[in-house]
Coordinates of all heavy atoms in Angstrom, one line a residue:
M27 N 17.1 -6.6 -19.9 CA 16.0 -5.7 -19.8 C 16.3 -4.4 -20.6 O 17.5 -3.9 -20.6 CB 15.8 -5.3 -18.3 CG 15.0 -6.1 -17.5 SD 14.8 -5.4 -15.8 CE 13.1 -5.7 -15.6
K28 N 15.3 -3.8 -21.1 CA 15.4 -2.6 -21.8 C 15.4 -1.4 -20.8 O 14.9 -1.5 -19.7 CB 14.3 -2.4 -22.8 CG 14.4 -3.4 -24.0 CD 13.3 -3.2 -24.9 CE 13.4 -4.3 -26.1 NZ 12.3 -4.1 -27.0
F29 N 16.0 -0.3 -21.3 CA 16.1 0.8 -20.4 C 14.7 1.3 -20.0 O 14.5 1.7 -18.8 CB 16.8 2.0 -21.2 CG 16.9 3.3 -20.4 CD1 17.8 3.3 -19.3 CD2 16.0 4.3 -20.6 CE1 17.9 4.5 -18.6 CE2 16.2 5.5 -19.8 CZ 17.1 5.6 -18.8
K30 N 13.7 1.3 -20.8 CA 12.3 1.8 -20.4 C 11.8 0.9 -19.4 O 11.1 1.4 -18.5 CB 11.5 1.8 -21.7 CG 11.8 3.0 -22.6 CD 10.8 3.2 -23.6 CE 11.2 4.3 -24.5 NZ 10.1 5.1 -25.0
E31 N 12.0 -0.4 -19.4 CA 11.5 -1.4 -18.4 C 12.2 -1.1 -17.1 O 11.6 -1.1 -16.0 CB 11.8 -2.8 -18.8 CG 11.0 -3.2 -20.1 CD 11.4 -4.6 -20.6 OE1 12.6 -5.0 -20.3 OE2 10.7 -5.2 -21.3
I32 N 13.5 -0.8 -17.1 CA 14.2 -0.6 -15.9 C 13.7 0.8 -15.3 O 13.5 0.9 -14.1 CB 15.8 -0.5 -16.1 CG1 16.2 -1.9 -16.5 CG2 16.5 0.0 -14.9 CD1 17.6 -1.9 -17.1
E33 N 13.6 1.8 -16.1 CA 13.1 3.1 -15.7 C 11.7 3.0 -15.1 O 11.4 3.5 -14.0 CB 13.1 4.0 -16.9 CG 12.8 5.4 -16.5 CD 12.9 6.4 -17.7 OE1 12.4 6.0 -18.8 OE2 13.4 7.5 -17.5
K34 N 10.8 2.2 -15.7 CA 9.5 2.0 -15.2 C 9.5 1.3 -13.8 O 8.9 1.7 -12.9 CB 8.7 1.2 -16.1 CG 7.3 0.9 -15.7 CD 6.5 0.1 -16.7 CE 5.1 -0.2 -16.2 NZ 4.4 -1.2 -17.0
L35 N 10.4 0.3 -13.7 CA 10.5 -0.5 -12.4 C 11.0 0.5 -11.3 O 10.5 0.5 -10.2 CB 11.4 -1.6 -12.6 CG 11.7 -2.5 -11.4 CD1 10.4 -3.2 -11.0 CD2 12.7 -3.6 -11.7
A36 N 12.0 1.2 -11.6 CA 12.6 2.2 -10.7 C 11.5 3.3 -10.2 O 11.4 3.6 -9.1 CB 13.8 2.9 -11.2
N37 N 10.8 3.8 -11.2 CA 9.7 4.8 -10.8 C 8.6 4.2 -10.0 O 8.2 4.8 -9.0 CB 9.2 5.4 -12.1 CG 10.2 6.3 -12.7 OD1 11.1 6.8 -12.2 ND2 10.0 6.5 -14.1
E38 N 8.2 2.9 -10.3 CA 7.2 2.2 -9.5 C 7.7 2.1 -8.0 O 6.9 2.3 -7.1 CB 6.8 0.9 -10.1 CG 6.0 1.1 -11.3 CD 5.7 -0.3 -12.0 OE1 6.2 -1.3 -11.5 OE2 5.0 -0.2 -13.1
R39 N 8.9 1.6 -7.9 CA 9.5 1.4 -6.5 C 9.5 2.7 -5.8 O 9.2 2.7 -4.6 CB 10.8 0.7 -6.7 CG 11.4 0.5 -5.3 CD 12.6 -0.4 -5.3 NE 12.2 -1.8 -5.5 CZ 12.9 -2.7 -6.1 NH1 14.0 -2.4 -6.6 NH2 12.4 -3.9 -6.3
K40 N 10.0 3.7 -6.5 CA 10.1 5.0 -5.8 C 8.7 5.6 -5.3 O 8.5 6.1 -4.2 CB 10.8 6.1 -6.7 CG 11.1 7.3 -6.1 CD 11.9 8.2 -7.0 CE 12.4 9.5 -6.3 NZ 13.3 10.2 -7.1
E41 N 7.7 5.4 -6.2 CA 6.3 5.8 -5.8 C 5.8 5.0 -4.7 O 5.2 5.6 -3.8 CB 5.4 5.7 -7.1 CG 5.7 6.7 -8.2 CD 4.8 6.5 -9.4 OE1 3.8 5.7 -9.3 OE2 5.2 7.0 -10.4
T42 N 6.1 3.7 -4.7 CA 5.6 2.9 -3.6 C 6.3 3.3 -2.3 O 5.6 3.3 -1.2 CB 5.9 1.4 -3.9 OG1 5.2 1.0 -5.1 CG2 5.5 0.5 -2.8
E43 N 7.6 3.5 -2.4 CA 8.3 3.9 -1.2 C 7.8 5.2 -0.6 O 7.6 5.4 0.6 CB 9.8 4.1 -1.5 CG 10.6 4.2 -0.3 CD 12.1 4.1 -0.6 OE1 12.5 3.7 -1.7 OE2 12.9 4.4 0.3
I44 N 7.4 6.2 -1.5 CA 6.9 7.5 -1.0 C 5.5 7.3 -0.4 O 5.3 7.8 0.7 CB 6.8 8.5 -2.2 CG1 8.2 8.9 -2.6 CG2 5.9 9.7 -1.9 CD1 8.2 9.6 -3.9
K45 N 4.6 6.5 -1.0 CA 3.3 6.2 -0.4 C 3.5 5.5 0.9 O 2.8 5.9 1.9 CB 2.5 5.3 -1.3 CG 1.9 5.9 -2.5 CD 1.1 4.9 -3.3 CE 0.6 5.5 -4.6 NZ -0.2 4.4 -5.4
L46 N 4.3 4.5 1.0 CA 4.5 3.8 2.2 C 5.1 4.8 3.4 O 4.5 4.7 4.5 CB 5.5 2.6 2.1 CG 5.8 1.8 3.4 CD1 4.5 1.2 3.9 CD2 6.8 0.8 3.0
R47 N 6.0 5.6 3.0 CA 6.5 6.5 4.0 C 5.5 7.5 4.5 O 5.4 7.7 5.7 CB 7.7 7.3 3.5 CG 8.5 7.9 4.5 CD 9.9 8.5 4.0 NE 10.8 7.5 3.5 CZ 11.6 6.7 4.2 NH1 11.5 6.9 5.6 NH2 12.4 5.9 3.7
E48 N 4.7 8.0 3.6 CA 3.6 8.9 4.1 C 2.6 8.2 5.0 O 2.2 8.7 6.0 CB 2.8 9.4 2.8 CG 3.6 10.4 2.0 CD 2.9 10.8 0.7 OE1 1.8 10.2 0.4 OE2 3.4 11.7 0.0
Q49 N 2.2 7.0 4.6 CA 1.2 6.2 5.4 C 1.8 5.9 6.7 O 1.1 5.9 7.8 CB 0.8 5.0 4.6 CG -0.1 5.3 3.4 CD -0.5 4.1 2.6 OE1 -0.2 3.0 3.0 NE2 -1.2 4.3 1.5
L50 N 3.0 5.4 6.7 CA 3.7 5.0 8.0 C 3.9 6.2 8.9 O 3.6 6.0 10.1 CB 5.1 4.3 7.6 CG 5.8 3.8 8.8 CD1 5.0 2.7 9.5 CD2 7.1 3.2 8.3
N51 N 4.3 7.3 8.4 CA 4.4 8.5 9.2 C 3.1 8.8 9.9 O 3.1 9.1 11.1 CB 4.8 9.7 8.3 CG 6.2 9.7 7.9 OD1 7.0 9.0 8.5 ND2 6.5 10.5 6.9
K52 N 2.0 8.8 9.2 CA 0.7 9.1 9.7 C 0.3 8.1 10.8 O -0.1 8.4 11.9 CB -0.3 9.2 8.6 CG -1.7 9.6 9.1 CD -2.6 9.7 7.9 CE -4.1 10.0 8.3 NZ -4.9 10.1 7.1
K53 N 0.4 6.8 10.5 CA 0.0 5.7 11.4 C 0.9 5.7 12.6 O 0.3 5.6 13.7 CB 0.0 4.4 10.7 CG -1.1 4.3 9.6 CD -0.9 3.0 8.9 CE -1.8 2.8 7.8 NZ -1.6 1.5 7.0
H54 N 2.1 5.8 12.5 CA 3.1 5.8 13.6 C 2.8 7.0 14.5 O 2.7 6.8 15.7 CB 4.5 5.8 13.1 CG 5.5 5.5 14.1 ND1 6.2 6.4 14.8 CD2 5.9 4.3 14.7 CE1 7.0 5.9 15.6 NE2 6.8 4.6 15.6
K55 N 2.6 8.1 14.0 CA 2.3 9.3 14.8 C 1.0 9.1 15.6 O 0.9 9.4 16.8 CB 2.2 10.5 14.0 CG 2.0 11.8 14.8 CD 2.0 13.1 13.9 CE 1.8 14.3 14.7 NZ 1.1 14.3 16.0
M56 N 0.0 8.5 15.0 CA -1.3 8.3 15.7 C -1.1 7.4 16.9 O -1.7 7.6 17.9 CB -2.4 7.8 14.7 CG -2.9 8.8 13.8 SD -4.4 8.3 12.8 CE -3.9 6.9 11.9
L57 N -0.4 6.3 16.6 CA -0.2 5.3 17.7 C 0.7 5.9 18.8 O 0.4 5.7 20.0 CB 0.6 4.1 17.2 CG -0.3 3.2 16.2 CD1 0.6 2.1 15.5 CD2 -1.4 2.5 17.0
I58 N 1.6 6.8 18.5 CA 2.4 7.4 19.5 C 1.5 8.4 20.3 O 1.6 8.5 21.5 CB 3.7 8.2 18.9 CG1 4.6 7.2 18.2 CG2 4.4 9.0 20.0 CD1 5.3 6.2 19.1
D59 N 0.7 9.1 19.6 CA -0.2 10.1 20.2 C -1.2 9.5 21.2 O -1.6 10.1 22.2 CB -1.0 10.9 19.2 CG -0.1 11.9 18.4 OD1 1.1 12.1 18.9 OD2 -0.5 12.4 17.4
V60 N -1.6 8.2 21.0 CA -2.5 7.6 21.9 C -1.9 6.8 23.0 O -2.5 6.1 23.8 CB -3.5 6.7 21.1 CG1 -4.4 7.5 20.2 CG2 -2.9 5.5 20.4
G61 N -0.5 6.9 23.0 CA 0.2 6.3 24.2 C 1.0 5.1 24.0 O 1.6 4.6 24.9
Y62 N 1.1 4.5 22.8 CA 2.0 3.4 22.5 C 3.4 3.9 22.5 O 3.7 5.0 22.0 CB 1.6 2.7 21.2 CG 0.3 1.9 21.3 CD1 -0.9 2.5 20.8 CD2 0.3 0.7 21.9 CE1 -2.1 1.8 21.0 CE2 -0.9 0.0 22.0 CZ -2.1 0.6 21.6 OH -3.3 -0.2 21.7
G63 N 4.3 3.0 22.8 CA 5.7 3.3 22.7 C 6.2 3.2 21.2 O 5.5 2.6 20.4
K64 N 7.3 3.9 20.9 CA 7.8 3.9 19.6 C 8.0 2.5 19.0 O 7.5 2.2 17.9 CB 9.1 4.7 19.6 CG 9.7 4.9 18.2 CD 10.9 5.8 18.3 CE 11.5 6.0 16.9 NZ 12.7 6.9 17.0
D65 N 8.7 1.6 19.7 CA 8.9 0.3 19.2 C 7.6 -0.5 19.1 O 7.4 -1.3 18.2 CB 9.9 -0.5 20.1 CG 11.3 0.1 19.9 OD1 11.5 0.9 18.9 OD2 12.2 -0.2 20.7
Q66 N 6.7 -0.4 20.1 CA 5.4 -1.1 20.1 C 4.6 -0.7 18.8 O 4.0 -1.5 18.2 CB 4.6 -0.8 21.3 CG 3.3 -1.6 21.4 CD 3.5 -3.1 21.4 OE1 4.4 -3.6 21.9 NE2 2.5 -3.8 20.8
A67 N 4.7 0.6 18.5 CA 4.0 1.1 17.3 C 4.5 0.4 16.0 O 3.7 0.0 15.2 CB 4.1 2.6 17.2
Y68 N 5.8 0.3 15.9 CA 6.4 -0.5 14.8 C 5.9 -1.9 14.7 O 5.6 -2.5 13.7 CB 7.9 -0.4 14.8 CG 8.4 0.9 14.3 CD1 9.2 1.7 15.2 CD2 8.2 1.4 13.1 CE1 9.7 3.0 14.8 CE2 8.7 2.7 12.7 CZ 9.4 3.4 13.6 OH 9.9 4.6 13.2
R69 N 5.9 -2.5 15.9 CA 5.4 -3.9 16.0 C 4.0 -4.1 15.5 O 3.6 -5.0 14.8 CB 5.5 -4.5 17.4 CG 6.9 -4.8 17.9 CD 6.9 -5.4 19.2 NE 8.2 -5.4 19.8 CZ 8.6 -4.6 20.8 NH1 7.8 -3.8 21.3 NH2 9.9 -4.7 21.2
M70 N 3.2 -3.1 15.9 CA 1.8 -3.1 15.5 C 1.6 -2.9 14.0 O 0.7 -3.5 13.3 CB 1.0 -2.1 16.3 CG 0.9 -2.4 17.8 SD 0.2 -1.1 18.7 CE -1.5 -1.2 18.2
L71 N 2.5 -2.1 13.4 CA 2.3 -1.7 12.0 C 2.8 -2.8 11.1 O 2.3 -2.9 9.9 CB 3.1 -0.4 11.7 CG 2.4 0.8 12.4 CD1 3.4 2.0 12.2 CD2 1.1 1.2 11.7
V72 N 3.8 -3.5 11.5 CA 4.4 -4.4 10.5 C 3.7 -5.8 10.3 O 3.7 -6.3 9.3 CB 5.9 -4.7 10.9 CG1 6.0 -5.7 12.1 CG2 6.8 -5.2 9.8
G73 N 3.0 -6.2 11.3 CA 2.3 -7.5 11.2 C 3.2 -8.6 10.9 O 4.3 -8.7 11.6
D74 N 2.9 -9.5 10.0 CA 3.7 -10.7 9.7 C 4.6 -10.4 8.5 O 5.2 -11.4 8.0 CB 2.8 -11.9 9.5 CG 2.1 -12.3 10.7 OD1 2.6 -12.0 11.8 OD2 1.0 -12.9 10.6
V75 N 4.7 -9.2 7.9 CA 5.4 -9.0 6.7 C 6.9 -9.2 6.8 O 7.6 -9.9 6.1 CB 5.0 -7.6 6.2 CG1 5.8 -7.3 4.9 CG2 3.6 -7.5 5.8
L76 N 7.5 -8.6 7.9 CA 8.9 -8.7 8.2 C 9.1 -8.3 9.6 O 8.2 -7.9 10.3 CB 9.8 -7.9 7.2 CG 9.5 -6.4 7.2 CD1 10.9 -5.7 7.0 CD2 8.7 -6.0 6.0
D77 N 10.4 -8.3 10.0 CA 10.7 -7.9 11.4 C 10.5 -6.5 11.6 O 10.8 -5.6 10.7 CB 12.2 -8.3 11.6 CG 12.6 -8.0 13.0 OD1 12.0 -8.6 13.9 OD2 13.6 -7.3 13.2
W78 N 10.0 -6.2 12.8 CA 9.6 -4.7 13.0 C 10.9 -3.8 13.1 O 10.8 -2.6 12.7 CB 8.8 -4.6 14.3 CG 9.6 -5.0 15.6 CD1 9.7 -6.2 16.1 CD2 10.4 -4.1 16.4 NE1 10.4 -6.2 17.2 CE2 10.9 -5.0 17.4 CE3 10.6 -2.8 16.4 CZ2 11.7 -4.4 18.4 CZ3 11.4 -2.3 17.4 CH2 12.0 -3.0 18.4
R79 N 12.0 -4.4 13.4 CA 13.2 -3.6 13.5 C 13.7 -3.2 12.1 O 14.2 -2.1 11.9 CB 14.4 -4.4 14.2 CG 14.1 -4.4 15.7 CD 15.0 -5.4 16.3 NE 14.6 -6.8 15.9 CZ 14.4 -7.7 16.8 NH1 14.6 -7.5 18.1 NH2 14.0 -8.9 16.4
T80 N 13.4 -4.0 11.1 CA 13.7 -3.7 9.7 C 12.9 -2.5 9.3 O 13.3 -1.5 8.7 CB 13.4 -4.9 8.8 OG1 14.2 -6.0 9.2 CG2 13.8 -4.5 7.3
L81 N 11.6 -2.5 9.7 CA 10.7 -1.4 9.3 C 11.2 -0.1 10.0 O 11.2 1.0 9.4 CB 9.3 -1.7 9.7 CG 8.2 -0.6 9.4 CD1 8.1 -0.4 8.0 CD2 6.9 -0.9 10.1
R82 N 11.5 -0.2 11.2 CA 12.0 0.9 12.0 C 13.3 1.5 11.3 O 13.4 2.7 11.2 CB 12.4 0.6 13.5 CG 12.8 1.8 14.3 CD 13.2 1.4 15.7 NE 14.4 0.6 15.5 CZ 14.9 -0.2 16.5 NH1 14.2 -0.3 17.6 NH2 16.0 -0.9 16.3
R83 N 14.2 0.7 11.0 CA 15.5 1.2 10.4 C 15.1 1.9 9.1 O 15.7 2.9 8.7 CB 16.5 0.0 10.2 CG 17.1 -0.4 11.4 CD 18.3 -1.4 11.1 NE 17.8 -2.6 10.4 CZ 17.5 -3.7 11.0 NH1 17.5 -3.8 12.3 NH2 17.1 -4.8 10.2
W84 N 14.3 1.3 8.2 CA 13.9 1.9 7.0 C 13.2 3.3 7.3 O 13.5 4.3 6.6 CB 13.0 1.0 6.2 CG 12.4 1.6 5.0 CD1 13.1 1.8 3.8 CD2 11.2 2.3 4.8 NE1 12.3 2.5 2.9 CE2 11.1 2.8 3.5 CE3 10.1 2.5 5.6 CZ2 10.0 3.4 3.0 CZ3 9.0 3.1 5.2 CH2 9.0 3.6 3.9
H85 N 12.3 3.3 8.2 CA 11.6 4.5 8.5 C 12.5 5.6 9.0 O 12.2 6.8 8.8 CB 10.5 4.2 9.5 CG 9.5 5.3 9.7 ND1 9.2 5.8 10.9 CD2 8.8 6.0 8.8 CE1 8.3 6.8 10.8 NE2 8.0 6.9 9.6
E86 N 13.6 5.2 9.7 CA 14.5 6.2 10.3 C 15.5 6.6 9.2 O 16.4 7.4 9.6 CB 15.1 5.7 11.5 CG 14.1 5.6 12.7 CD 14.7 4.9 13.9 OE1 15.9 4.3 13.9 OE2 14.1 4.9 15.0
G87 N 15.5 6.0 8.0 CA 16.3 6.5 7.0 C 17.4 5.6 6.5 O 18.1 6.0 5.5
D88 N 17.5 4.4 7.0 CA 18.6 3.5 6.5 C 18.2 3.1 5.1 O 17.0 2.9 4.8 CB 18.6 2.2 7.3 CG 19.6 2.4 8.5 OD1 20.2 3.5 8.7 OD2 19.7 1.4 9.3
T89 N 19.2 2.9 4.3 CA 19.0 2.4 2.9 C 18.7 0.9 3.0 O 19.4 0.2 3.7 CB 20.2 2.7 2.0 OG1 20.5 4.1 2.1 CG2 20.0 2.2 0.7
M90 N 17.8 0.4 2.2 CA 17.4 -1.0 2.3 C 17.7 -1.6 0.9 O 17.7 -0.9 -0.1 CB 15.9 -1.2 2.6 CG 15.6 -0.8 4.0 SD 16.2 -2.0 5.1 CE 16.3 -1.0 6.6
R91 N 17.9 -2.9 1.0 CA 18.1 -3.6 -0.3 C 16.8 -3.7 -1.0 O 15.7 -3.7 -0.3 CB 18.7 -5.0 0.0 CG 20.0 -4.9 0.6 CD 20.6 -6.3 0.9 NE 21.9 -6.2 1.4 CZ 22.5 -7.1 2.1 NH1 21.9 -8.3 2.4 NH2 23.7 -7.0 2.6
P92 N 16.8 -4.0 -2.3 CA 15.6 -4.0 -3.1 C 14.6 -5.1 -2.6 O 13.4 -4.8 -2.6 CB 16.0 -4.4 -4.5 CG 17.4 -3.8 -4.6 CD 18.0 -3.9 -3.2
F93 N 15.0 -6.2 -2.2 CA 14.1 -7.3 -1.7 C 13.3 -6.8 -0.4 O 12.2 -7.3 -0.2 CB 14.8 -8.6 -1.5 CG 15.6 -8.8 -0.3 CD1 15.1 -9.3 0.8 CD2 17.0 -8.4 -0.4 CE1 15.9 -9.4 1.9 CE2 17.8 -8.6 0.7 CZ 17.2 -9.1 1.9
I94 N 14.0 -6.0 0.4 CA 13.3 -5.5 1.6 C 12.2 -4.5 1.2 O 11.1 -4.6 1.7 CB 14.3 -4.8 2.6 CG1 15.3 -5.8 3.0 CG2 13.5 -4.1 3.7 CD1 14.8 -6.9 4.0
I95 N 12.5 -3.7 0.2 CA 11.5 -2.7 -0.3 C 10.3 -3.5 -0.9 O 9.2 -3.1 -0.7 CB 12.1 -1.7 -1.3 CG1 13.2 -0.9 -0.7 CG2 11.1 -0.8 -1.9 CD1 12.8 0.0 0.5
D96 N 10.6 -4.5 -1.6 CA 9.6 -5.3 -2.2 C 8.7 -6.0 -1.1 O 7.5 -6.0 -1.2 CB 10.1 -6.5 -3.1 CG 10.7 -5.9 -4.3 OD1 10.4 -4.8 -4.7 OD2 11.6 -6.7 -4.9
K97 N 9.2 -6.3 0.0 CA 8.4 -6.9 1.1 C 7.6 -5.8 1.8 O 6.5 -6.0 2.2 CB 9.3 -7.5 2.2 CG 9.9 -8.9 1.8 CD 10.7 -9.5 2.9 CE 11.2 -10.9 2.5 NZ 11.9 -11.5 3.6
L98 N 8.2 -4.6 1.8 CA 7.5 -3.5 2.4 C 6.2 -3.0 1.6 O 5.3 -2.5 2.1 CB 8.4 -2.3 2.6 CG 9.4 -2.3 3.7 CD1 10.4 -1.2 3.5 CD2 8.9 -2.4 5.1
K99 N 6.2 -3.4 0.3 CA 5.1 -3.0 -0.6 C 3.8 -3.6 0.0 O 2.8 -3.0 -0.2 CB 5.3 -3.6 -1.9 CG 6.2 -2.8 -2.8 CD 6.3 -3.4 -4.2 CE 7.3 -2.8 -5.1 NZ 7.3 -3.4 -6.4
A100 N 3.9 -4.7 0.7 CA 2.7 -5.4 1.2 C 2.0 -4.5 2.3 O 0.9 -4.6 2.6 CB 3.0 -6.7 1.8
L101 N 2.8 -3.6 2.9 CA 2.2 -2.7 3.9 C 1.5 -1.5 3.3 O 0.8 -0.8 4.1 CB 3.3 -2.2 4.8 CG 4.0 -3.3 5.6 CD1 5.2 -2.6 6.4 CD2 3.1 -4.0 6.6
V102 N 1.6 -1.2 2.0 CA 1.0 0.0 1.4 C -0.5 -0.3 1.3 O -0.9 -1.4 0.7 CB 1.6 0.3 0.1 CG1 0.8 1.4 -0.6 CG2 3.1 0.6 0.2
E103 N -1.3 0.5 1.8 CA -2.7 0.4 1.6 C -3.1 1.2 0.4 O -2.8 2.3 0.2 CB -3.4 1.0 2.8 CG -3.3 0.2 4.1 CD -4.1 0.8 5.3 OE1 -5.2 1.5 4.9 OE2 -3.7 0.6 6.4
E104 N -3.8 0.5 -0.4 CA -4.3 1.1 -1.7 C -5.3 2.2 -1.4 O -6.2 2.0 -0.5 CB -4.8 0.1 -2.6 CG -3.8 -0.9 -3.1 CD -2.7 -0.3 -3.9 OE1 -2.9 0.6 -4.7 OE2 -1.6 -0.8 -3.7
E105 N -5.3 3.3 -2.1 CA -6.2 4.4 -1.9 C -7.6 3.9 -2.2 O -8.6 4.4 -1.6 CB -5.8 5.6 -2.7 CG -4.5 6.2 -2.2 CD -3.9 7.3 -3.1 OE1 -4.7 7.7 -4.0 OE2 -2.8 7.7 -3.0
R106 N -7.8 3.1 -3.2 CA -9.1 2.6 -3.6 C -9.8 1.9 -2.4 O -11.0 2.1 -2.2 CB -9.1 1.7 -4.8 CG -9.0 2.4 -6.1 CD -9.0 1.5 -7.3 NE -7.6 1.0 -7.5 CZ -7.2 -0.2 -7.6 NH1 -8.0 -1.2 -7.5 NH2 -5.9 -0.4 -7.9
K107 N -9.1 1.1 -1.7 CA -9.6 0.3 -0.6 C -10.1 1.3 0.5 O -11.2 1.1 1.1 CB -8.6 -0.7 0.0 CG -8.3 -1.8 -0.9 CD -7.3 -2.7 -0.3 CE -6.9 -3.8 -1.2 NZ -5.8 -4.6 -0.6
N108 N -9.3 2.3 0.8 CA -9.7 3.3 1.8 C -10.9 4.1 1.3 O -11.8 4.4 2.2 CB -8.6 4.3 2.0 CG -7.4 3.6 2.7 OD1 -7.5 2.6 3.4 ND2 -6.2 4.2 2.6
E109 N -11.1 4.4 0.1 CA -12.2 5.1 -0.4 C -13.5 4.3 -0.4 O -14.6 4.8 -0.1 CB -12.0 5.7 -1.8 CG -10.9 6.8 -1.9 CD -10.6 7.2 -3.3 OE1 -11.2 6.7 -4.2 OE2 -9.7 8.0 -3.4
E110 N -13.4 3.0 -0.6 CA -14.5 2.1 -0.7 C -15.1 2.0 0.8 O -16.3 1.7 1.0 CB -14.1 0.7 -1.2 CG -13.9 0.8 -2.7 CD -13.4 -0.6 -3.2 OE1 -13.3 -1.5 -2.4 OE2 -13.1 -0.6 -4.4
N111 N -14.2 2.0 1.8 CA -14.6 1.8 3.2 C -15.3 3.0 3.8 O -15.9 2.9 4.8 CB -13.4 1.4 4.0 CG -13.0 0.0 3.7 OD1 -13.7 -0.8 3.1 ND2 -11.7 -0.2 3.9
K112 N -15.2 4.2 3.1 CA -15.8 5.4 3.6 C -17.3 5.5 3.4 O -17.9 4.9 2.6 CB -15.1 6.6 3.0 CG -13.7 6.8 3.5 CD -13.1 8.0 3.0 CE -11.7 8.2 3.5 NZ -11.0 9.4 3.0

C-alpha cells in the first residue's frame, strides 16, 4: 500500500470512530434518562453487530483492534438517512 492510501484509510477510520462515539453518547444518555440500566442500554444499541460488552468497553475508552472498529462501523447512522426521515 502507498502512504496516501494508508493515510486515507486511517483518516476514514478516525472519522467513523468520532461519529460513532458522538451518536453513541447521545443515544446511551437518552436511554439512561428514560430509565434503562447502563448495560441494558448497551444491549439495545448494539443489536446483532457484536457483543454488547465489546461496545461498552470501547465506549468506556478501551483500545480496540481494527477488526472490532470495522464491525462498529455498522452502528454509525448516516446523516443523510436521518435528514431524509425528517
Side-chain angles (χ1 to χ4, degrees):
M27 274 185 137
K28 294 181 180 182
F29 179 76
K30 289 190 180 215
E31 293 170 341
I32 295 170
E33 188 176 40
K34 181 181 175 188
L35 182 64
N37 287 337
E38 286 174 0
R39 180 168 283 149
K40 190 173 186 175
E41 288 175 19
T42 300
E43 192 171 348
I44 290 169
K45 283 182 187 176
L46 178 60
R47 195 168 296 279
E48 289 172 357
Q49 291 176 5
L50 185 60
N51 287 341
K52 183 178 179 180
K53 292 175 185 179
H54 192 260
K55 185 179 180 335
M56 284 192 299
L57 289 170
I58 297 296
D59 289 347
V60 296
Y62 289 99
K64 187 176 180 179
D65 290 344
Q66 181 63 30
Y68 285 117
R69 285 186 194 105
M70 294 171 72
L71 291 170
V72 77
D74 295 332
V75 177
L76 64 140
D77 184 56
W78 66 271
R79 288 170 286 234
T80 303
L81 180 66
R82 182 186 65 198
R83 285 191 302 267
W84 174 79
H85 190 232
E86 291 175 349
D88 274 1
T89 303
M90 292 289 155
R91 294 181 179 159
F93 74 93
I94 298 291
I95 299 298
D96 291 341
K97 286 184 177 183
L98 290 172
K99 282 183 184 180
L101 297 176
V102 175
E103 291 185 25
E104 296 297 323
E105 293 173 10
R106 278 184 272 126
K107 289 180 185 175
N108 291 336
E109 290 175 7
E110 290 174 2
N111 292 333
K112 288 183 179 180

